[in-house]
Amino acid sequence: MAKLKFVIHPLFIIFGIYFALLGKVYSFLIFTLSAVIHELGHSLAAESRGYHLKRLVLMPYGAVIYGDTTDMPYKDEAIIALTGPMVSLFIALLLVSLWWLIPEAYPY
């Protein structure tokens, strides 16, 4: 995997401060981690197809990943686009499975 540069948008920091003032730092960290893992799914799929994504930007509404995607066939584009949601679905199923196996692990 090529080196991926992480960039934090200034509004993301303000959003984090807002969550901290509300006492919801844990939720903010979980949202951030899930957005990063989702985007890394796109990045891994792109790398496996020979494309290099260079920059991941943390935004207040999630994350965005940028790279060279010129002349990408629709099949590769579809696979890369679907990989992020599939990674998120896998993580959701994993967490629900853990909740069923260990009910005390559910924080709410």
Side-chain angles (χ1 to χ4, degrees):
M1 185 170 173
K3 186 166 182 162
L4 190 63
K5 180 180 178 184
F6 283 83
V7 178
I8 298 175
H9 193 278
L11 288 176
F12 178 80
I13 296 169
I14 293 171
F15 198 62
I17 292 170
Y18 174 73
F19 266 75
L21 292 174
L22 291 178
K24 297 186 178 193
V25 175
Y26 180 73
S27 295
F28 177 73
L29 292 176
I30 294 298
F31 294 146
T32 301
L33 184 63
S34 64
V36 168
I37 291 172
H38 173 96
E39 294 302 327
L40 288 178
H42 291 302
S43 179
L44 287 173
E47 289 287 329
S48 71
R49 300 234 172 247
Y51 303 101
H52 302 290
L53 303 179
K54 296 175 177 76
R55 186 170 55 139
L56 191 145
V57 181
L58 293 173
M59 307 286 269
Y61 52 82
V64 180
I65 196 160
Y66 296 101
D68 184 22
T69 57
T70 55
D71 301 326
M72 183 183 291
Y74 289 120
K75 181 181 176 184
D76 288 348
E77 189 174 343
I79 290 171
I80 292 168
L82 290 173
T83 304
M86 295 306 288
V87 167
S88 296
L89 179 64
F90 174 76
I91 290 171
L93 291 174
L94 177 71
L95 292 175
V96 168
S97 299
L98 286 175
W99 178 38
W100 283 336
L101 293 172
I102 310 166
E104 301 84 29
Y106 189 62
Y108 301 106

